[in-house]
Amino acid sequence: PYEQKLEEFSHFVYRDNEAEKFNGKWNQEVFQNNFPIVAEIGSGYGEFMLEYCQNHCEINFVGIDYRFKRSYQLAKKLSELPHPNFRYLRAKGERLQFLFGENEVSEIFYFFPDPWPKTKHNKKRLFQIPFLKACHHVLKNDGIFWIKTDHDKYYEWMLEELSKQNYFTIELQTRNLHEEMPEHFLALYKTKFEKIFLKKGTHTKVLVLRNKKNVT
């Protein structure tokens, strides 16, 4: 039922592969401006998207998630915002390189992804070399990739994957964002999940990566 309900917001919600026709043409055909494009992979309940895109009207925000009910609930909230500087994609992060053209995105946000904690499920984790390659492709040179996770083992996995690649340099890393960098903008925006984790005493782990186009 939520798939059908999303049709109500078809002026800013694109489902499945609908958005892939805009690959390389988001500024011209969708937003019709030259503002920087930022993408959030896994927008979840939308706390970050709702607040950030309204605090930054000088950007074009593209949120991405795949769950129908959650997407519909977020779309209802987005429809009430005064500044329409956003689009929402009911799509998978694995399709990133099909959604955006080369050098089309200025920043990527990737907050509290599913850690797939069981060892037999680790292979389902999105954060692997093919995903990093896709992010490298769509990001501009010197574009920023912002990452937050509560999961210690997934954080270690990310560091291991980063040791295998030469697409990004690590600009910042911390295992305790809110105690070590309480004034950092990543600490000022807290998602629904993050608030729950913090109440339980779980630290927020952060990686900030800078894209480098002059490497292979």
Side-chain angles (χ1 to χ4, degrees), residues 16-37:
D16 302 319
N17 63 349
E18 288 179 347
E20 295 184 12
K21 63 184 178 183
F22 300 121
N23 183 311
K25 299 177 287 187
W26 282 89
N27 281 117
Q28 300 93 319
E29 296 190 6
V30 178
F31 293 108
Q32 298 180 6
N33 61 43
N34 291 317
F35 294 160
I37 295 172

mmCIF file of all heavy atoms in Angstrom, residues 16-37:
data_model
loop_
_atom_site.group_PDB
_atom_site.id
_atom_site.type_symbol
_atom_site.label_atom_id
_atom_site.label_comp_id
_atom_site.label_asym_id
_atom_site.label_seq_id
_atom_site.Cartn_x
_atom_site.Cartn_y
_atom_site.Cartn_z
ATOM 1 N N ASP A 16 12.235 3.396 -7.491
ATOM 2 C CA ASP A 16 12.988 2.370 -8.215
ATOM 3 C C ASP A 16 13.986 3.023 -9.178
ATOM 4 O O ASP A 16 14.816 3.791 -8.756
ATOM 5 C CB ASP A 16 12.025 1.404 -8.896
ATOM 6 C CG ASP A 16 11.088 0.744 -7.880
ATOM 7 O OD1 ASP A 16 11.590 0.382 -6.800
ATOM 8 O OD2 ASP A 16 9.895 0.620 -8.153
ATOM 9 N N ASN A 17 13.870 2.755 -10.475
ATOM 10 C CA ASN A 17 14.867 3.302 -11.411
ATOM 11 C C ASN A 17 14.409 4.587 -12.096
ATOM 12 O O ASN A 17 15.015 5.036 -13.053
ATOM 13 C CB ASN A 17 15.224 2.251 -12.471
ATOM 14 C CG ASN A 17 14.037 1.870 -13.339
ATOM 15 O OD1 ASN A 17 12.894 2.219 -13.039
ATOM 16 N ND2 ASN A 17 14.297 1.143 -14.423
ATOM 17 N N GLU A 18 13.342 5.207 -11.600
ATOM 18 C CA GLU A 18 12.829 6.424 -12.240
ATOM 19 C C GLU A 18 13.866 7.540 -12.298
ATOM 20 O O GLU A 18 13.910 8.302 -13.264
ATOM 21 C CB GLU A 18 11.592 6.933 -11.485
ATOM 22 C CG GLU A 18 10.348 6.097 -11.679
ATOM 23 C CD GLU A 18 9.167 6.630 -10.896
ATOM 24 O OE1 GLU A 18 9.370 7.501 -10.024
ATOM 25 O OE2 GLU A 18 8.048 6.171 -11.152
ATOM 26 N N ALA A 19 14.691 7.628 -11.264
ATOM 27 C CA ALA A 19 15.638 8.738 -11.187
ATOM 28 C C ALA A 19 16.862 8.540 -12.070
ATOM 29 O O ALA A 19 17.608 9.484 -12.320
ATOM 30 C CB ALA A 19 16.082 8.938 -9.740
ATOM 31 N N GLU A 20 17.076 7.321 -12.555
ATOM 32 C CA GLU A 20 18.304 7.053 -13.312
ATOM 33 C C GLU A 20 18.345 7.793 -14.643
ATOM 34 O O GLU A 20 19.416 8.005 -15.212
ATOM 35 C CB GLU A 20 18.475 5.549 -13.493
ATOM 36 C CG GLU A 20 18.687 4.838 -12.152
ATOM 37 C CD GLU A 20 18.950 3.351 -12.266
ATOM 38 O OE1 GLU A 20 19.204 2.880 -13.404
ATOM 39 O OE2 GLU A 20 18.925 2.654 -11.239
ATOM 40 N N LYS A 21 17.208 8.241 -15.123
ATOM 41 C CA LYS A 21 17.184 9.009 -16.378
ATOM 42 C C LYS A 21 17.803 10.391 -16.199
ATOM 43 O O LYS A 21 18.121 11.067 -17.181
ATOM 44 C CB LYS A 21 15.756 9.145 -16.896
ATOM 45 C CG LYS A 21 14.822 9.921 -15.983
ATOM 46 C CD LYS A 21 13.398 9.915 -16.518
ATOM 47 C CE LYS A 21 12.448 10.657 -15.571
ATOM 48 N NZ LYS A 21 11.041 10.596 -16.050
ATOM 49 N N PHE A 22 17.988 10.813 -14.937
ATOM 50 C CA PHE A 22 18.573 12.122 -14.674
ATOM 51 C C PHE A 22 20.092 12.050 -14.467
ATOM 52 O O PHE A 22 20.719 13.063 -14.139
ATOM 53 C CB PHE A 22 17.918 12.759 -13.451
ATOM 54 C CG PHE A 22 16.440 12.969 -13.600
ATOM 55 C CD1 PHE A 22 15.544 12.381 -12.711
ATOM 56 C CD2 PHE A 22 15.944 13.745 -14.632
ATOM 57 C CE1 PHE A 22 14.178 12.566 -12.849
ATOM 58 C CE2 PHE A 22 14.568 13.939 -14.773
ATOM 59 C CZ PHE A 22 13.690 13.351 -13.882
ATOM 60 N N ASN A 23 20.665 10.883 -14.634
ATOM 61 C CA ASN A 23 22.112 10.709 -14.487
ATOM 62 C C ASN A 23 22.856 11.769 -15.289
ATOM 63 O O ASN A 23 22.714 11.849 -16.507
ATOM 64 C CB ASN A 23 22.498 9.302 -14.966
ATOM 65 C CG ASN A 23 23.962 8.991 -14.794
ATOM 66 O OD1 ASN A 23 24.828 9.768 -15.179
ATOM 67 N ND2 ASN A 23 24.267 7.834 -14.242
ATOM 68 N N GLY A 24 23.633 12.596 -14.589
ATOM 69 C CA GLY A 24 24.407 13.655 -15.237
ATOM 70 C C GLY A 24 23.615 14.905 -15.567
ATOM 71 O O GLY A 24 24.172 15.874 -16.102
ATOM 72 N N LYS A 25 22.320 14.934 -15.204
ATOM 73 C CA LYS A 25 21.470 16.061 -15.594
ATOM 74 C C LYS A 25 20.621 16.592 -14.438
ATOM 75 O O LYS A 25 19.588 17.236 -14.656
ATOM 76 C CB LYS A 25 20.547 15.629 -16.740
ATOM 77 C CG LYS A 25 21.273 15.197 -18.010
ATOM 78 C CD LYS A 25 20.328 14.712 -19.096
ATOM 79 C CE LYS A 25 19.756 13.350 -18.767
ATOM 80 N NZ LYS A 25 18.968 12.781 -19.895
ATOM 81 N N TRP A 26 21.043 16.334 -13.209
ATOM 82 C CA TRP A 26 20.239 16.742 -12.064
ATOM 83 C C TRP A 26 20.077 18.255 -11.972
ATOM 84 O O TRP A 26 18.981 18.756 -11.727
ATOM 85 C CB TRP A 26 20.836 16.185 -10.770
ATOM 86 C CG TRP A 26 20.512 14.743 -10.564
ATOM 87 C CD1 TRP A 26 21.232 13.662 -11.004
ATOM 88 C CD2 TRP A 26 19.361 14.205 -9.908
ATOM 89 N NE1 TRP A 26 20.603 12.489 -10.657
ATOM 90 C CE2 TRP A 26 19.456 12.789 -9.980
ATOM 91 C CE3 TRP A 26 18.267 14.768 -9.268
ATOM 92 C CZ2 TRP A 26 18.494 11.943 -9.427
ATOM 93 C CZ3 TRP A 26 17.307 13.933 -8.712
ATOM 94 C CH2 TRP A 26 17.431 12.546 -8.799
ATOM 95 N N ASN A 27 21.149 18.986 -12.140
ATOM 96 C CA ASN A 27 21.046 20.443 -12.046
ATOM 97 C C ASN A 27 20.179 21.025 -13.164
ATOM 98 O O ASN A 27 19.328 21.892 -12.932
ATOM 99 C CB ASN A 27 22.431 21.091 -12.079
ATOM 100 C CG ASN A 27 23.141 21.021 -10.741
ATOM 101 O OD1 ASN A 27 24.185 20.397 -10.622
ATOM 102 N ND2 ASN A 27 22.591 21.659 -9.727
ATOM 103 N N GLN A 28 20.396 20.527 -14.377
ATOM 104 C CA GLN A 28 19.697 21.093 -15.517
ATOM 105 C C GLN A 28 18.215 20.711 -15.546
ATOM 106 O O GLN A 28 17.345 21.573 -15.754
ATOM 107 C CB GLN A 28 20.349 20.630 -16.830
ATOM 108 C CG GLN A 28 21.814 21.022 -16.970
ATOM 109 C CD GLN A 28 22.760 19.935 -16.489
ATOM 110 O OE1 GLN A 28 22.504 19.298 -15.467
ATOM 111 N NE2 GLN A 28 23.837 19.715 -17.232
ATOM 112 N N GLU A 29 17.902 19.440 -15.348
ATOM 113 C CA GLU A 29 16.546 18.970 -15.584
ATOM 114 C C GLU A 29 15.690 18.836 -14.329
ATOM 115 O O GLU A 29 14.461 18.868 -14.428
ATOM 116 C CB GLU A 29 16.585 17.630 -16.321
ATOM 117 C CG GLU A 29 17.197 17.719 -17.711
ATOM 118 C CD GLU A 29 17.000 16.444 -18.519
ATOM 119 O OE1 GLU A 29 16.287 15.536 -18.031
ATOM 120 O OE2 GLU A 29 17.557 16.362 -19.626
ATOM 121 N N VAL A 30 16.313 18.674 -13.174
ATOM 122 C CA VAL A 30 15.537 18.468 -11.954
ATOM 123 C C VAL A 30 15.469 19.744 -11.119
ATOM 124 O O VAL A 30 14.399 20.306 -10.889
ATOM 125 C CB VAL A 30 16.116 17.306 -11.119
ATOM 126 C CG1 VAL A 30 15.322 17.130 -9.814
ATOM 127 C CG2 VAL A 30 16.098 16.016 -11.924
ATOM 128 N N PHE A 31 16.626 20.226 -10.675
ATOM 129 C CA PHE A 31 16.638 21.393 -9.799
ATOM 130 C C PHE A 31 16.636 22.717 -10.566
ATOM 131 O O PHE A 31 16.242 23.738 -10.036
ATOM 132 C CB PHE A 31 17.856 21.325 -8.871
ATOM 133 C CG PHE A 31 17.783 20.202 -7.883
ATOM 134 C CD1 PHE A 31 18.603 19.090 -8.011
ATOM 135 C CD2 PHE A 31 16.897 20.231 -6.825
ATOM 136 C CE1 PHE A 31 18.548 18.042 -7.102
ATOM 137 C CE2 PHE A 31 16.824 19.198 -5.910
ATOM 138 C CZ PHE A 31 17.653 18.099 -6.050
ATOM 139 N N GLN A 32 17.106 22.687 -11.793
ATOM 140 C CA GLN A 32 17.146 23.871 -12.649
ATOM 141 C C GLN A 32 17.884 25.030 -11.972
ATOM 142 O O GLN A 32 17.436 26.176 -11.964
ATOM 143 C CB GLN A 32 15.726 24.277 -13.063
ATOM 144 C CG GLN A 32 15.033 23.190 -13.868
ATOM 145 C CD GLN A 32 13.631 23.561 -14.296
ATOM 146 O OE1 GLN A 32 13.174 24.684 -14.102
ATOM 147 N NE2 GLN A 32 12.925 22.614 -14.892
ATOM 148 N N ASN A 33 19.025 24.691 -11.386
ATOM 149 C CA ASN A 33 19.932 25.691 -10.822
ATOM 150 C C ASN A 33 21.333 25.099 -10.825
ATOM 151 O O ASN A 33 21.532 23.953 -11.248
ATOM 152 C CB ASN A 33 19.499 26.109 -9.405
ATOM 153 C CG ASN A 33 19.487 24.950 -8.416
ATOM 154 O OD1 ASN A 33 20.400 24.115 -8.386
ATOM 155 N ND2 ASN A 33 18.443 24.874 -7.595
ATOM 156 N N ASN A 34 22.288 25.856 -10.354
ATOM 157 C CA ASN A 34 23.680 25.391 -10.339
ATOM 158 C C ASN A 34 24.194 25.150 -8.919
ATOM 159 O O ASN A 34 25.404 25.131 -8.693
ATOM 160 C CB ASN A 34 24.578 26.408 -11.052
ATOM 161 C CG ASN A 34 24.313 26.461 -12.543
ATOM 162 O OD1 ASN A 34 24.161 25.424 -13.188
ATOM 163 N ND2 ASN A 34 24.243 27.665 -13.097
ATOM 164 N N PHE A 35 23.286 24.969 -7.977
ATOM 165 C CA PHE A 35 23.707 24.722 -6.606
ATOM 166 C C PHE A 35 24.369 23.344 -6.486
ATOM 167 O O PHE A 35 24.057 22.424 -7.250
ATOM 168 C CB PHE A 35 22.513 24.786 -5.649
ATOM 169 C CG PHE A 35 21.881 26.145 -5.529
ATOM 170 C CD1 PHE A 35 20.586 26.275 -5.048
ATOM 171 C CD2 PHE A 35 22.570 27.290 -5.889
ATOM 172 C CE1 PHE A 35 19.991 27.514 -4.931
ATOM 173 C CE2 PHE A 35 21.987 28.543 -5.779
ATOM 174 C CZ PHE A 35 20.690 28.655 -5.298
ATOM 175 N N PRO A 36 25.278 23.171 -5.528
ATOM 176 C CA PRO A 36 25.919 21.872 -5.325
ATOM 177 C C PRO A 36 24.895 20.800 -4.959
ATOM 178 O O PRO A 36 23.916 21.064 -4.244
ATOM 179 C CB PRO A 36 26.885 22.122 -4.161
ATOM 180 C CG PRO A 36 27.074 23.602 -4.122
ATOM 181 C CD PRO A 36 25.801 24.200 -4.597
ATOM 182 N N ILE A 37 25.127 19.597 -5.435
ATOM 183 C CA ILE A 37 24.275 18.453 -5.120
ATOM 184 C C ILE A 37 24.915 17.644 -4.002
ATOM 185 O O ILE A 37 26.094 17.298 -4.075
ATOM 186 C CB ILE A 37 24.066 17.567 -6.355
ATOM 187 C CG1 ILE A 37 23.280 18.327 -7.429
ATOM 188 C CG2 ILE A 37 23.336 16.272 -5.988
ATOM 189 C CD1 ILE A 37 23.200 17.595 -8.751
#
